[in-house]
Amino acid sequence: MERKLKNIYTCYPGGKHKALTMSYDDGREEDRRLVAIFNKYGIKGTFNLNYGIQGTCGPNGKVPGIPMTEYKELYKGHEVACHTYTHPTIERCPLEQVVSQVMEDRKGLEKAVGYPVRGMAYPNGSYSEDIMKLLPSLGIKYSR
């Protein structure tokens, strides 16, 4: 008689098999309303922020953003992740500048929120194979 092996499934916490991720960039003023909605309904989000241009965002920094002094309280219970220090199109940058952009952003964000920052969203969706290989050495565990 042939015996079939059972499949082993890796699950999320609580035995859940699927996850929905909510990820937002740039620390825009609209995050205040979004975080309030998330908190009301028990939804968790990741907010990818630029420590070097906090308080403003958008083209030429003309769009109001969340000031760094509010990061810890506003994003409490959610994840804060890197988005580089000043939001350059990093695929066009020398790797030394990518290192600086990621590390300065991480250091500033960790100081602001009080915990290790381990995720990152690529600014403008820009990345390269070399950047992907570099990020783990900078303490980045995942990127999108």
Side-chain angles (χ1 to χ4, degrees):
M1 175 161 98
E2 187 176 322
R3 191 172 147 184
K4 290 187 177 188
L5 296 176
K6 291 185 177 184
N7 289 331
I8 298 173
Y9 297 98
T10 303
C11 302
Y12 291 96
K16 296 183 171 129
H17 296 281
K18 295 186 180 190
L20 172 68
T21 61
M22 308 296 275
S23 182
Y24 298 87
D25 300 349
D26 302 334
R28 295 180 175 264
E29 277 289 321
E30 292 85 0
D31 286 1
R32 295 180 197 286
R33 183 167 177 251
L34 183 61
V35 168
I37 292 167
F38 281 6
N39 291 345
K40 180 178 179 180
Y41 293 103
I43 300 168
K44 300 295 181 191
T46 298
F47 294 87
N48 306 286
L49 308 174
N50 313 96
Y51 190 79
I53 54 174
Q54 35 81 25
T56 61
C57 51
N60 302 317
K62 293 183 179 179
V63 177
I66 305 297
M68 176 272 307
T69 55
E70 297 181 35
Y71 287 0
K72 187 173 189 170
E73 191 58 35
L74 177 64
Y75 299 113
K76 186 178 185 177
H78 301 276
E79 178 188 24
V80 167
C82 289
H83 198 41
T84 69
Y85 193 71
T86 60
H87 206 288
T89 303
I90 57 175
E91 185 180 17
R92 298 178 188 163
C93 298
L95 286 180
E96 296 80 15
Q97 185 178 357
V98 174
V99 169
S100 179
Q101 283 283 331
V102 172
M103 291 307 297
E104 290 304 311
D105 197 33
R106 263 195 65 214
K107 285 191 290 186
L109 293 175
E110 288 176 355
K111 181 179 174 186
V113 298
Y115 59 81
V117 171
R118 297 295 180 247
M120 181 175 147
Y122 303 118
N124 304 312
S126 170
Y127 66 95
S128 68
E129 189 73 29
D130 288 337
I131 291 170
M132 289 177 15
K133 289 177 183 175
L134 172 70
L135 293 176
S137 69
L138 304 178
I140 300 298
K141 300 274 187 202
Y142 76 90
S143 53
R144 64 154 185 89

